[in-house]
């Protein structure tokens, strides 16, 4: 089955710790995205990558970092510099010239 | 970045009723997408629209790409309990194709049996 997987589903961390969220896709998509979702708001773009070894900041990149060493994988690190990290994080991918983004199941991060 | 204006914010309807929601923007978009998100899950793509005036159906769902290219509408006919969820619109346009997707805040739909 082709799709996007995110792990873990739920993640708890103490304030001041970095944490890495996993995103893997086997759709052979070139572009991958990370979004943050907060209650009552639309999705906000954190980082995106159009191709391996390249990525760009989105609207709210501060306090986050990413890597794209493999086409299938686009991990997101939430650093201690992110002031309000508790949120639902969504990974998406897009293939070729299509505009259609397909989402993973999400990771809910809680930082206390 | 600019977000889309999606309305209504929430709807409480009786099973069997029809539902309408819309998204508007001050900018022109080349593509409109509609997603449904269930609690604790990622959004699932329902309908994609690529041309102004286009009307596309997916089962009981029908979406339209507004003529002005600044709005889109989603209708659900004869709602059922499993229609419950949050419906998001997304618009893609502008020069920066790969990162120019904008999302509405969502319409939360509740269907009473």
């Amino acid at each position: 089955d082709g799709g996007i997987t995110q792990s873990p589903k739920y993640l708890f961390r103490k304030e001041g710790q970095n944490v890495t969220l996993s995103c893997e896709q086997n759709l052979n998509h070139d572009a991958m995205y990370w979004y943050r979702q907060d209650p009552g708001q639309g999705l906000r773009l954190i980082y995106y990558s159009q191709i391996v070894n390249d990525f760009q900041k989105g609207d709210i990149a501060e306090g986050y970092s990413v890597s794209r060493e493999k086409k299938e994988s686009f991990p997101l690190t939430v650093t201690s510099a992110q002031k309000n990290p508790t949120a639902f994080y969504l990974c998406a991918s897009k293939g070729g010239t299509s505009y259609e983004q397909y989402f993973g199941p999400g990771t809910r991060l809680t930082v206390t | 970045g600019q977000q889309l204006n999606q309305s209504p914010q929430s709807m409480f309807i009786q099973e069997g009723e029809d539902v309408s929601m819309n998204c508007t923007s001050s900018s022109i978009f080349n593509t409109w997408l509609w997603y449904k998100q269930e609690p604790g899950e990622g959004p699932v793509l329902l309908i994609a629209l690529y041309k102004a005036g286009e009307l596309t159906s997916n089962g009981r769902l029908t979406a339209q790409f507004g003529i002005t290219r600044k709005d889109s509408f989603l209708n659900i006919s004869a709602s059922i309990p499993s229609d419950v969820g949050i419906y998001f619109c997304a618009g893609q346009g502008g020069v920066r194709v790969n990162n120019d997707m904008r999302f509405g805040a969502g319409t939360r739909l509740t269907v009473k049996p």
Side-chain angles (χ1 to χ4, degrees):
Chain A
D1 279 326
I4 304 173
T5 57
Q6 291 185 243
S7 61
K9 184 73 173 170
Y10 300 94
L11 195 50
F12 298 88
R13 279 294 182 269
K14 293 289 186 186
E15 197 173 312
Q17 293 179 336
N18 292 354
V19 59
T20 297
L21 282 59
S22 166
C23 177
E24 304 277 332
Q25 55 98 0
N26 60 4
L27 300 167
N28 200 33
H29 285 172
D30 288 312
M32 296 185 74
Y33 306 80
W34 274 105
Y35 292 92
R36 172 181 170 133
Q37 185 175 33
D38 294 286
Q41 296 192 36
L43 304 183
R44 292 185 290 168
L45 182 65
I46 304 172
Y47 268 98
Y48 69 100
S49 168
Q50 298 178 44
I51 199 168
V52 175
N53 292 322
D54 183 63
F55 49 84
Q56 305 294 330
K57 293 182 180 180
D59 299 320
I60 56 165
E62 186 176 348
Y64 300 98
S65 66
V66 294
S67 63
R68 186 86 186 276
E69 296 175 3
K70 297 187 299 180
K71 187 175 186 177
E72 304 78 20
S73 178
F74 191 40
L76 173 74
T77 297
V78 184
T79 75
S80 56
Q82 168 50 233
K83 292 175 184 168
N84 186 19
T86 294
F88 191 52
Y89 290 89
L90 287 161
C91 178
S93 69
K94 181 175 79 70
T97 56
S98 168
Y99 289 111
E100 299 169 17
Q101 293 187 23
Y102 294 89
F103 287 85
T107 292
R108 183 166 298 281
L109 173 64
T110 303
V111 177
T112 57
Chain B
Q2 179 209 353
Q3 299 293 318
L4 303 179
N5 297 312
Q6 186 171 349
S7 65
Q9 263 189 323
S10 60
M11 302 183 75
F12 296 83
I13 62 168
Q14 206 70 38
E15 182 177 359
E17 289 183 0
D18 297 342
V19 172
S20 290
M21 60 191 78
N22 70 82
C23 268
T24 60
S25 170
S26 57
S27 302
I28 290 173
F29 286 111
N30 298 321
T31 301
W32 284 96
L33 306 176
W34 284 92
Y35 291 88
K36 178 187 177 186
Q37 185 178 28
E38 299 192 8
E41 299 296 328
V44 174
L45 182 63
L46 299 173
I47 293 179
L49 302 160
Y50 294 103
K51 190 176 173 184
E54 180 182 354
L55 188 71
T56 297
S57 292
N58 177 5
R60 293 178 295 105
L61 278 61
T62 301
Q64 183 162 24
F65 193 141
I67 291 290
T68 65
R69 295 169 62 195
K70 293 183 179 181
D71 56 8
S72 180
F73 306 87
L74 177 69
N75 296 316
I76 305 173
S77 63
S79 59
I80 58 178
S82 62
D83 289 335
V84 165
I86 301 177
Y87 292 80
F88 289 97
C89 60
Q92 173 88 47
V95 177
R96 299 174 303 157
V97 172
N98 280 297
N99 72 329
D100 209 24
M101 182 78 77
R102 299 296 165 188
F103 290 85
T107 294
R108 183 181 295 273
L109 178 64
T110 302
V111 180
K112 302 174 199 173

